[in-house]
Amino acid sequence: MKFFFLLSLLFCSVLATAQAKPNVIYILADDLGYGDVGCYGQKEIRTPNIDAMAASGIKFTRHYAGAPVCAPSRAVLMTGRNIGFARVRGNYENGPYGFGAGLELKDSDLTIAEVMKARGYITAVIGKWGMGMNGTTGEPNKQGFDYSYGFLNQGHAHYQFPEFLYRNGKKFELPENKNDQRKLYSNNLFTEEALRFVAKNKQKPFFLYLAYTTPHAELLVPDDSIFHSYKGKFQEKPYIKNGQGGAQQDNFGAYNSQQYPNAAYAASITHLDMSIGRVIAYLKSEGLLENTLIIFSSDNGPAKEGGANPDYFKSSGMLRGKKRDVYEGGIRVPMIAMWPSRIKQGVVTDHVSAFEDVMTTLADATGKPLQKSITTEGVSFFPLLTGNTAAQKQHKFLYWEFHEGKTSSQAMIMGKWKAVRAAPDTALELYNLERDIAEKNNEAFNEPQLVKQFETMFKKARSPHELWPLKTNKDAISNKKKKTTAEAGL
């Protein structure tokens, strides 16, 4: 009898240990600006659930995306390698839907999903992937995810009412959206699928990467009470695809016309907020919330495409720049972490953290730190989450680069100082972020030794890449001369 009693105690102990691993949900918005959320200063757009997350957890005021555009930012998040050493360093435009070639992760890339899977987690990505189509080495089910649902290609993800999506690499049709019927909003589908995943796997630890496609254009949203609550509230300049009607115009991606772009932008963020609220409410109803670590962030700064007007909503807050800028507005993003059983309520931190830190942080959260043999530029912020601030390590530097312009812009942060340059062969700008968050005052002239230090560090912060070589100002001038000569027929 005593033997069976001791055996049952041992079994319960093992079960309790297994259950002690937190569930993890990482929620990523698409092109959500630092100032687009109420708890980060937004006044016009309602985000009560995200604001409640901040009140119930910890809000980071200096969290950085992996890059100022989508694909490389997500690659940094997934692999823990900063953009100077990541495989994907830009939105390469040669594949289907305009984005694809050069973006696939390879078998040799280690992802967060693989790290979590090795620790006994069921893993899923729901929403926008963007790092490999079906049949390539980069498709999510070959990168550690047990389940995948949504957009595989980031160009395809421009459609908010798509005619098809992918489940575990297999395409399935959405006839309700054929012929512009627009009955199934993709982000609602992602929320429903997320709830089903949690319901199916609530008896074991799970890792869910929930990557919404809002507020990224196209600015189409359900014609519901949320949209109508904003319609007529703002000044509007209609966005007409292909320039029809003489209003705002471009023909980028799949963006459709929108007569009320500001209302649609605001509605898309409130829809995102409500989706997050649904996920949290379900976790609470199932008794899962206390031991679930939820992290919310955005992949880069706000965009000006498809009718979106980030200046109208002050989407970058007090920061300079937007998406595609290596100034703060392009790379500093909101980040909130909530874990009721471990994180104190209402904490605000100015700890400098970035996407490459997430892998090491989640490994620590499972109770099994990342092996030293795994290469990453990440610094775990797990001590900060759990209140052990004395043990929190700091980054020596953070680095970014951007290649879609005529030159390759670069930026680096070391402590309170940030260096920016428009090209590797142009003068370096220097900003003190403690007293100049808007990056208005270039202090390079007054800090020559610091400038030299940054110039040396820029050389060490990256490895060469054949798809994304650094384009200099000299290259841009040379290419312009070649183009002019060719146009002249010489």
Side-chain angles (χ1 to χ4, degrees):
M1 190 75 175
K2 184 177 180 181
F3 170 78
F4 287 105
F5 176 73
L6 292 174
L7 188 63
S8 66
L9 283 180
L10 178 62
F11 175 79
C12 291
S13 176
V14 171
L15 183 62
T17 300
Q19 291 175 336
K21 288 182 181 179
N23 302 308
V24 178
I25 301 179
Y26 186 96
I27 303 173
L28 190 67
D30 198 346
D31 290 1
L32 183 79
Y34 186 82
D36 273 332
V37 182
C39 57
Y40 284 85
Q42 178 57 233
K43 303 298 183 184
E44 303 293 332
I45 303 172
R46 302 187 300 275
T47 56
N49 294 295
I50 298 172
D51 298 344
M53 273 190 70
S56 299
I58 181 168
K59 181 178 80 170
F60 288 69
T61 61
R62 289 196 66 188
H63 186 67
Y64 291 91
V69 287
C70 169
S73 189
R74 291 162 192 258
V76 170
L77 172 67
M78 275 294 107
T79 65
R81 303 303 312 272
N82 79 21
I83 194 171
F85 299 102
R87 182 181 306 283
V88 180
R89 304 190 192 182
N91 283 337
Y92 209 67
E93 302 183 13
N94 270 335
Y97 310 107
F99 298 88
L103 299 185
E104 300 90 359
L105 296 179
K106 302 301 181 184
D107 291 335
S108 56
D109 290 309
L110 180 73
T111 68
I112 291 177
E114 290 171 310
V115 168
M116 299 299 279
K117 192 174 174 65
R119 285 154 174 75
Y121 280 72
I122 300 297
T123 60
V125 53
I126 295 172
K128 175 178 172 179
W129 175 241
M131 284 168 281
M133 286 296 294
N134 53 328
T136 72
T137 58
E139 67 173 294
N141 295 81
K142 294 178 182 176
Q143 291 293 334
F145 287 100
D146 296 305
Y147 183 73
S148 65
Y149 176 98
F151 297 105
L152 293 181
N153 183 284
Q154 59 182 24
H156 182 207
H158 290 169
Y159 293 88
Q160 296 295 356
F161 293 85
E163 295 185 2
F164 63 91
L165 290 171
Y166 291 88
R167 179 185 282 110
N168 292 329
K170 294 182 179 180
K171 180 179 176 180
F172 66 93
E173 303 291 334
L174 296 171
E176 296 89 345
N177 289 342
K178 296 282 187 181
N179 302 316
D180 286 333
Q181 291 185 79
R182 301 175 188 169
K183 293 181 179 179
L184 296 178
Y185 185 47
S186 59
N187 293 275
N188 287 345
L189 295 177
F190 300 155
T191 303
E192 294 293 340
E193 200 67 21
L195 297 181
R196 279 192 285 270
F197 171 78
V198 172
K200 183 178 179 181
N201 297 285
K202 60 186 178 182
Q203 300 300 328
K204 42 198 152 185
F206 59 80
F207 167 62
L208 170 60
Y209 171 37
L210 181 53
Y212 288 104
T213 60
T214 46
H216 193 300
E218 65 181 357
L219 294 179
L220 295 183
V221 294
D223 188 21
D224 58 9
S225 60
I226 297 175
F227 177 55
H228 285 275
S229 71
Y230 289 117
K231 189 176 174 181
K233 182 179 179 180
F234 310 121
Q235 296 178 356
E236 300 281 10
K237 184 177 182 180
Y239 169 78
I240 310 298
K241 187 178 182 179
N242 295 323
Q244 298 171 2
Q248 295 184 57
Q249 54 184 283
D250 66 41
N251 190 24
F252 186 82
Y255 306 153
N256 273 288
S257 301
Q258 174 56 261
Q259 291 292 320
Y260 306 95
N262 286 335
Y265 185 81
S268 72
I269 293 176
T270 297
H271 264 287
L272 169 69
D273 180 84
M274 289 188 65
S275 295
I276 293 170
R278 286 189 64 195
V279 172
I280 293 174
Y282 181 75
L283 292 170
K284 186 175 182 179
S285 70
E286 295 296 315
L288 300 171
L289 185 60
E290 284 294 311
N291 197 36
T292 299
L293 169 58
I294 307 171
I295 299 177
F296 168 75
S297 192
S298 174
D299 64 346
N300 47 246
K304 189 177 182 181
E305 293 162 355
N309 184 359
D311 291 333
Y312 184 86
F313 288 107
K314 298 180 181 178
S315 294
S316 296
M318 298 180 290
L319 308 178
R320 176 180 177 179
K322 304 174 183 67
K323 180 179 180 178
R324 297 185 176 84
D325 291 320
V326 292
Y327 292 107
E328 293 290 281
I331 54 177
R332 190 189 293 205
V333 290
M335 202 268 268
I336 298 166
M338 174 184 173
W339 184 3
S341 66
R342 298 296 302 273
I343 295 176
K344 290 183 179 180
Q345 294 187 3
V347 178
V348 179
T349 179
D350 62 358
H351 170 71
V352 178
S353 59
F355 272 21
E356 54 261 44
D357 301 338
V358 176
M359 178 187 284
T360 55
T361 300
L362 296 189
D364 285 351
T366 69
K368 185 180 178 183
L370 206 62
Q371 300 93 313
K372 292 183 179 179
S373 59
I374 295 175
T375 303
T376 174
E377 285 71 53
V379 174
S380 172
F381 51 80
F382 180 74
L384 189 67
L385 294 182
T386 53
N388 189 10
T389 54
Q392 181 60 58
K393 296 180 180 179
Q394 308 295 322
H395 278 279
K396 293 181 180 178
F397 69 91
L398 291 175
Y399 170 78
W400 299 268
E401 60 190 45
F402 177 68
H403 301 275
E404 290 181 22
K406 294 179 180 178
T407 62
S408 297
S409 54
Q410 295 173 285
M412 180 180 288
I413 286 175
M414 289 194 294
K416 64 183 180 182
W417 292 99
K418 181 177 178 184
V420 177
R421 59 186 183 190
D425 57 346
T426 58
L428 186 145
E429 303 166 25
L430 190 64
Y431 302 99
N432 185 323
L433 294 178
E434 283 189 356
R435 58 175 175 249
D436 183 20
I437 190 175
E439 296 169 287
K440 292 181 178 179
N441 303 307
N442 181 4
E443 300 188 39
F445 181 79
N446 300 321
E447 300 284 347
Q449 294 302 317
L450 195 54
V451 167
K452 289 182 180 179
Q453 185 180 353
F454 269 108
E455 288 174 343
T456 298
M457 288 299 297
F458 270 124
K459 296 176 182 177
K460 298 179 180 179
R462 74 184 306 271
S463 60
H465 200 301
E466 61 179 354
L467 293 180
W468 291 283
L470 291 178
K471 296 179 291 185
T472 66
N473 192 50
K474 183 179 179 180
D475 294 332
I477 294 171
S478 176
N479 291 335
K480 184 177 181 181
K481 288 181 179 178
K482 289 177 182 177
K483 183 179 179 181
T484 302
T485 301
E487 290 173 346
L490 299 177

